[in-house]
Amino acid sequence: MKKIGLALGGGGAKGLAHIPMLEVFDEMGIRPHRMAGTSIGSIVGALYASGIRAAKIREGVDRMVITKGDSFRDALRKRDVFKWLEFMDIEFGRGGIFKGDRFIRFLYDAMKVSTFEELEIPLRVAATDFWTSEPVILESGDLLPAVKASMGLPGVFTPVRIGDRVLIDGGGVNPVPYDILHDCDLVVAIDVMGKMREHKTKVPNVVRAVLGAFDIMQNSIIAEKLKHDPPDIYIKPDVIGVDILDFYKANDIYEQSGPARRELRERLEAALQPETQ
């Protein structure tokens, strides 16, 4: 069996599209040899690498997300939805709106894993050194601070100090970190950046403008990387009209990811065919 490297990219709520892709791996009985993740890709990657199957990750999301069709009464029945309120550890004036500590504690409760060495699948987490603009790859020692750093969207989450570095979202330099998996035989990259819904004459508000600018930057980085060093399999779910915090659109994201899910299965089947002499 070829050693498969699986890279999960950043994209906020669009990162829920990673779940159907991981379900393909589970359905085919394929286990990645190594994984890499940026931002929400590091979150989903850590959950999966800890041994939690994709179907269980989906179940957890479904319990916590208020979908568009839910009434308030329906939402109240989803007891875990109140956990979202517990994540709101607001901290103005320290580089972000949220510290992210409460969400990290939630991740630990879900995984019961606190170090890279405890993971069932080796994981590399991509972050960005704020002061030097350098990419930083974290793959040993404490897992949860690494994930917190990788998801540290500027202005939203407080930057994380690890060692002598101040780290922020890995999407600043490596939105889909497939290039750190070249020690694998077959590299699969999942790009969940999606597309903004076009409003050609509409002026975005300040939040949409800032987040949209970050998306534009990440898409430009990915495009350049693909020109010079493409992965063996590149999959980009066609997710449209989903903003970074639109987690309530989970079902819509899963549905839009359907064609990409089928493409991934087909390409994996072709890539893993026994070679004929």
Side-chain angles (χ1 to χ4, degrees), residues 181-212:
L181 293 172
H182 284 324
D183 51 348
C184 298
D185 301 321
L186 179 72
V187 177
V188 179
I190 310 296
D191 175 3
V192 294
M193 286 302 301
K195 302 175 185 175
M196 289 186 284
R197 197 178 300 280
E198 289 190 18
H199 301 282
K200 292 185 178 180
T201 60
K202 182 178 179 180
V203 177
N205 61 35
V206 63
V207 174
R208 178 64 263 169
V210 171
L211 296 179

Side-chain angles (χ1 to χ4, degrees), residues 43 58 74:
I43 296 170
R58 185 193 282 246
D74 292 332

Side-chain angles (χ1 to χ4, degrees), residues 97-130:
I97 299 173
F98 305 110
K99 289 191 294 184
D101 292 343
R102 293 179 181 176
F103 179 70
I104 291 301
R105 286 198 296 270
F106 165 75
L107 275 184
Y108 174 76
D109 289 340
M111 299 185 299
K112 301 301 181 187
V113 167
S114 60
T115 67
F116 282 93
E117 288 76 15
E118 295 174 80
L119 294 172
E120 293 185 7
I121 300 172
L123 175 68
R124 292 170 178 161
V125 169
T128 303
D129 186 311
F130 179 81

Side-chain angles (χ1 to χ4, degrees), residues 75-91:
L76 290 178
R77 292 196 185 104
K78 294 183 176 182
R79 296 179 183 178
D80 288 349
V81 77
F82 292 105
K83 288 186 178 177
W84 287 109
L85 300 179
E86 298 174 8
F87 300 155
M88 303 305 169
D89 47 359
I90 297 175
E91 183 181 57

